[in-house]
Amino acid sequence: MTGDFVQLPVPIIQQLYHWDCGLACSRMVLRYLGQLDDGEFESALQELRLTRSIWTIDLAYLMRHFGSFYRKHFDTEETRVNQLFAEAKACKVLVEKCTVSVQDIQAHLAQGHVAIVLVNSGVLHCDLCSSPVKYCCFAPSGHRCFCRTPDYQGHFIVLRGYNRATGCIFYNNPAYADRMCSTSVSNFEEARTSYGTDEDILFVYLDS
């Protein structure tokens, strides 16, 4: 699966709350990999103590629980998250602090793999949707949205392909239940490198 056009059949699963976009993305990925069992997924959430504060490293441990693994860049001062990083190697969760290019991402997708990316949804614009959905899911707790800055609206999406000819990226936005989204490479780059995202990306593979 190489070339100038990739569109992986990643199922769309809509998030239920303002805070669970990362979990919805995880469900999409696991279903794509043929590993989603709702009962086991709920058990994993309890075992990993995942509640309304979901960080990228939490999703990495969740993927590892189901036999997949990832690579990412992440930087935070949260005690719990730092502990997860400290224990990552022992838990066989691969963490790398590096710069990932669009070419790296496209090469990953061309192999049939997917990625979960933290973006600023206030910047990300779908060319196929009539109006943007405003979501701020990267919230610490509670029912309200507490963004780091008024301009930052953290949101997880699943990358599922690209078209080199038109210069676009295909992705699933868990804010929707019925569509695949598409944006330009330049807009995707702006959204994923915005202040607040820390350029977090999980490269997910089917464990071989």
PDB file of all heavy atoms in Angstrom, residues 16-31:
ATOM      1  N   LEU A  16     -18.719  10.556  23.321  1.00  0.00           N
ATOM      2  CA  LEU A  16     -19.976  10.720  24.053  1.00  0.00           C
ATOM      3  C   LEU A  16     -19.992  11.999  24.880  1.00  0.00           C
ATOM      4  O   LEU A  16     -21.052  12.552  25.154  1.00  0.00           O
ATOM      5  CB  LEU A  16     -20.196   9.519  24.972  1.00  0.00           C
ATOM      6  CG  LEU A  16     -20.257   8.152  24.282  1.00  0.00           C
ATOM      7  CD1 LEU A  16     -20.404   7.054  25.322  1.00  0.00           C
ATOM      8  CD2 LEU A  16     -21.414   8.115  23.287  1.00  0.00           C
ATOM      9  N   TYR A  17     -18.815  12.457  25.288  1.00  0.00           N
ATOM     10  CA  TYR A  17     -18.712  13.628  26.154  1.00  0.00           C
ATOM     11  C   TYR A  17     -17.671  14.588  25.601  1.00  0.00           C
ATOM     12  O   TYR A  17     -17.036  14.293  24.589  1.00  0.00           O
ATOM     13  CB  TYR A  17     -18.324  13.204  27.579  1.00  0.00           C
ATOM     14  CG  TYR A  17     -19.141  12.061  28.113  1.00  0.00           C
ATOM     15  CD1 TYR A  17     -18.633  10.762  28.101  1.00  0.00           C
ATOM     16  CD2 TYR A  17     -20.427  12.261  28.608  1.00  0.00           C
ATOM     17  CE1 TYR A  17     -19.377   9.695  28.583  1.00  0.00           C
ATOM     18  CE2 TYR A  17     -21.186  11.200  29.084  1.00  0.00           C
ATOM     19  CZ  TYR A  17     -20.659   9.918  29.072  1.00  0.00           C
ATOM     20  OH  TYR A  17     -21.400   8.866  29.539  1.00  0.00           O
ATOM     21  N   HIS A  18     -17.480  15.729  26.280  1.00  0.00           N
ATOM     22  CA  HIS A  18     -16.490  16.682  25.791  1.00  0.00           C
ATOM     23  C   HIS A  18     -15.069  16.214  26.072  1.00  0.00           C
ATOM     24  O   HIS A  18     -14.113  16.688  25.461  1.00  0.00           O
ATOM     25  CB  HIS A  18     -16.719  18.068  26.418  1.00  0.00           C
ATOM     26  CG  HIS A  18     -16.321  18.150  27.863  1.00  0.00           C
ATOM     27  ND1 HIS A  18     -15.015  18.348  28.260  1.00  0.00           N
ATOM     28  CD2 HIS A  18     -17.039  18.036  28.997  1.00  0.00           C
ATOM     29  CE1 HIS A  18     -14.965  18.359  29.579  1.00  0.00           C
ATOM     30  NE2 HIS A  18     -16.176  18.173  30.044  1.00  0.00           N
ATOM     31  N   TRP A  19     -14.911  15.249  26.986  1.00  0.00           N
ATOM     32  CA  TRP A  19     -13.577  14.869  27.444  1.00  0.00           C
ATOM     33  C   TRP A  19     -13.050  13.547  26.884  1.00  0.00           C
ATOM     34  O   TRP A  19     -11.896  13.186  27.127  1.00  0.00           O
ATOM     35  CB  TRP A  19     -13.551  14.777  28.974  1.00  0.00           C
ATOM     36  CG  TRP A  19     -14.628  13.880  29.536  1.00  0.00           C
ATOM     37  CD1 TRP A  19     -15.868  14.259  29.954  1.00  0.00           C
ATOM     38  CD2 TRP A  19     -14.558  12.457  29.726  1.00  0.00           C
ATOM     39  NE1 TRP A  19     -16.582  13.160  30.392  1.00  0.00           N
ATOM     40  CE2 TRP A  19     -15.803  12.049  30.271  1.00  0.00           C
ATOM     41  CE3 TRP A  19     -13.559  11.506  29.512  1.00  0.00           C
ATOM     42  CZ2 TRP A  19     -16.071  10.718  30.594  1.00  0.00           C
ATOM     43  CZ3 TRP A  19     -13.826  10.179  29.820  1.00  0.00           C
ATOM     44  CH2 TRP A  19     -15.075   9.803  30.358  1.00  0.00           C
ATOM     45  N   ASP A  20     -13.866  12.814  26.142  1.00  0.00           N
ATOM     46  CA  ASP A  20     -13.449  11.456  25.769  1.00  0.00           C
ATOM     47  C   ASP A  20     -13.083  11.282  24.293  1.00  0.00           C
ATOM     48  O   ASP A  20     -13.181  10.186  23.748  1.00  0.00           O
ATOM     49  CB  ASP A  20     -14.533  10.443  26.159  1.00  0.00           C
ATOM     50  CG  ASP A  20     -15.812  10.571  25.338  1.00  0.00           C
ATOM     51  OD1 ASP A  20     -16.075  11.690  24.844  1.00  0.00           O
ATOM     52  OD2 ASP A  20     -16.524   9.572  25.195  1.00  0.00           O
ATOM     53  N   CYS A  21     -12.623  12.355  23.650  1.00  0.00           N
ATOM     54  CA  CYS A  21     -12.233  12.228  22.244  1.00  0.00           C
ATOM     55  C   CYS A  21     -11.084  11.233  22.076  1.00  0.00           C
ATOM     56  O   CYS A  21     -11.048  10.467  21.119  1.00  0.00           O
ATOM     57  CB  CYS A  21     -11.862  13.583  21.657  1.00  0.00           C
ATOM     58  SG  CYS A  21     -10.510  14.421  22.500  1.00  0.00           S
ATOM     59  N   GLY A  22     -10.148  11.228  23.043  1.00  0.00           N
ATOM     60  CA  GLY A  22      -9.028  10.293  22.967  1.00  0.00           C
ATOM     61  C   GLY A  22      -9.479   8.844  23.061  1.00  0.00           C
ATOM     62  O   GLY A  22      -8.951   7.966  22.365  1.00  0.00           O
ATOM     63  N   LEU A  23     -10.455   8.594  23.929  1.00  0.00           N
ATOM     64  CA  LEU A  23     -10.970   7.229  24.066  1.00  0.00           C
ATOM     65  C   LEU A  23     -11.739   6.807  22.818  1.00  0.00           C
ATOM     66  O   LEU A  23     -11.653   5.655  22.377  1.00  0.00           O
ATOM     67  CB  LEU A  23     -11.869   7.135  25.307  1.00  0.00           C
ATOM     68  CG  LEU A  23     -11.186   7.409  26.649  1.00  0.00           C
ATOM     69  CD1 LEU A  23     -12.176   7.200  27.789  1.00  0.00           C
ATOM     70  CD2 LEU A  23      -9.951   6.522  26.833  1.00  0.00           C
ATOM     71  N   ALA A  24     -12.484   7.749  22.224  1.00  0.00           N
ATOM     72  CA  ALA A  24     -13.205   7.444  20.984  1.00  0.00           C
ATOM     73  C   ALA A  24     -12.211   7.125  19.868  1.00  0.00           C
ATOM     74  O   ALA A  24     -12.421   6.195  19.083  1.00  0.00           O
ATOM     75  CB  ALA A  24     -14.096   8.625  20.588  1.00  0.00           C
ATOM     76  N   CYS A  25     -11.114   7.876  19.816  1.00  0.00           N
ATOM     77  CA  CYS A  25     -10.082   7.607  18.810  1.00  0.00           C
ATOM     78  C   CYS A  25      -9.460   6.232  19.040  1.00  0.00           C
ATOM     79  O   CYS A  25      -9.189   5.491  18.090  1.00  0.00           O
ATOM     80  CB  CYS A  25      -9.003   8.686  18.871  1.00  0.00           C
ATOM     81  SG  CYS A  25      -9.521  10.291  18.203  1.00  0.00           S
ATOM     82  N   SER A  26      -9.242   5.887  20.314  1.00  0.00           N
ATOM     83  CA  SER A  26      -8.683   4.572  20.634  1.00  0.00           C
ATOM     84  C   SER A  26      -9.617   3.456  20.182  1.00  0.00           C
ATOM     85  O   SER A  26      -9.173   2.427  19.663  1.00  0.00           O
ATOM     86  CB  SER A  26      -8.431   4.460  22.142  1.00  0.00           C
ATOM     87  OG  SER A  26      -7.474   5.406  22.566  1.00  0.00           O
ATOM     88  N   ARG A  27     -10.905   3.647  20.389  1.00  0.00           N
ATOM     89  CA  ARG A  27     -11.882   2.647  19.940  1.00  0.00           C
ATOM     90  C   ARG A  27     -11.839   2.482  18.416  1.00  0.00           C
ATOM     91  O   ARG A  27     -11.922   1.370  17.896  1.00  0.00           O
ATOM     92  CB  ARG A  27     -13.292   3.057  20.384  1.00  0.00           C
ATOM     93  CG  ARG A  27     -13.558   2.880  21.871  1.00  0.00           C
ATOM     94  CD  ARG A  27     -14.982   3.328  22.210  1.00  0.00           C
ATOM     95  NE  ARG A  27     -15.266   3.270  23.630  1.00  0.00           N
ATOM     96  CZ  ARG A  27     -15.748   2.215  24.266  1.00  0.00           C
ATOM     97  NH1 ARG A  27     -15.994   1.111  23.591  1.00  0.00           N
ATOM     98  NH2 ARG A  27     -15.991   2.257  25.554  1.00  0.00           N
ATOM     99  N   MET A  28     -11.722   3.610  17.705  1.00  0.00           N
ATOM    100  CA  MET A  28     -11.649   3.545  16.240  1.00  0.00           C
ATOM    101  C   MET A  28     -10.449   2.725  15.801  1.00  0.00           C
ATOM    102  O   MET A  28     -10.541   1.855  14.921  1.00  0.00           O
ATOM    103  CB  MET A  28     -11.520   4.959  15.651  1.00  0.00           C
ATOM    104  CG  MET A  28     -12.730   5.844  15.774  1.00  0.00           C
ATOM    105  SD  MET A  28     -12.469   7.385  14.850  1.00  0.00           S
ATOM    106  CE  MET A  28     -13.088   8.596  16.018  1.00  0.00           C
ATOM    107  N   VAL A  29      -9.297   3.005  16.408  1.00  0.00           N
ATOM    108  CA  VAL A  29      -8.060   2.320  16.041  1.00  0.00           C
ATOM    109  C   VAL A  29      -8.153   0.823  16.346  1.00  0.00           C
ATOM    110  O   VAL A  29      -7.798  -0.017  15.515  1.00  0.00           O
ATOM    111  CB  VAL A  29      -6.859   2.946  16.777  1.00  0.00           C
ATOM    112  CG1 VAL A  29      -5.610   2.086  16.611  1.00  0.00           C
ATOM    113  CG2 VAL A  29      -6.607   4.363  16.270  1.00  0.00           C
ATOM    114  N   LEU A  30      -8.655   0.501  17.525  1.00  0.00           N
ATOM    115  CA  LEU A  30      -8.750  -0.913  17.913  1.00  0.00           C
ATOM    116  C   LEU A  30      -9.742  -1.669  17.041  1.00  0.00           C
ATOM    117  O   LEU A  30      -9.522  -2.831  16.698  1.00  0.00           O
ATOM    118  CB  LEU A  30      -9.140  -1.024  19.390  1.00  0.00           C
ATOM    119  CG  LEU A  30      -8.058  -0.579  20.377  1.00  0.00           C
ATOM    120  CD1 LEU A  30      -8.611  -0.540  21.799  1.00  0.00           C
ATOM    121  CD2 LEU A  30      -6.839  -1.498  20.298  1.00  0.00           C
ATOM    122  N   ARG A  31     -10.819  -1.012  16.657  1.00  0.00           N
ATOM    123  CA  ARG A  31     -11.774  -1.673  15.757  1.00  0.00           C
ATOM    124  C   ARG A  31     -11.139  -1.878  14.383  1.00  0.00           C
ATOM    125  O   ARG A  31     -11.337  -2.917  13.744  1.00  0.00           O
ATOM    126  CB  ARG A  31     -13.058  -0.854  15.642  1.00  0.00           C
ATOM    127  CG  ARG A  31     -14.120  -1.521  14.770  1.00  0.00           C
ATOM    128  CD  ARG A  31     -15.475  -0.874  14.912  1.00  0.00           C
ATOM    129  NE  ARG A  31     -16.053  -1.124  16.235  1.00  0.00           N
ATOM    130  CZ  ARG A  31     -17.180  -0.569  16.670  1.00  0.00           C
ATOM    131  NH1 ARG A  31     -17.836   0.272  15.899  1.00  0.00           N
ATOM    132  NH2 ARG A  31     -17.641  -0.850  17.875  1.00  0.00           N
TER     133      ARG A  31
END
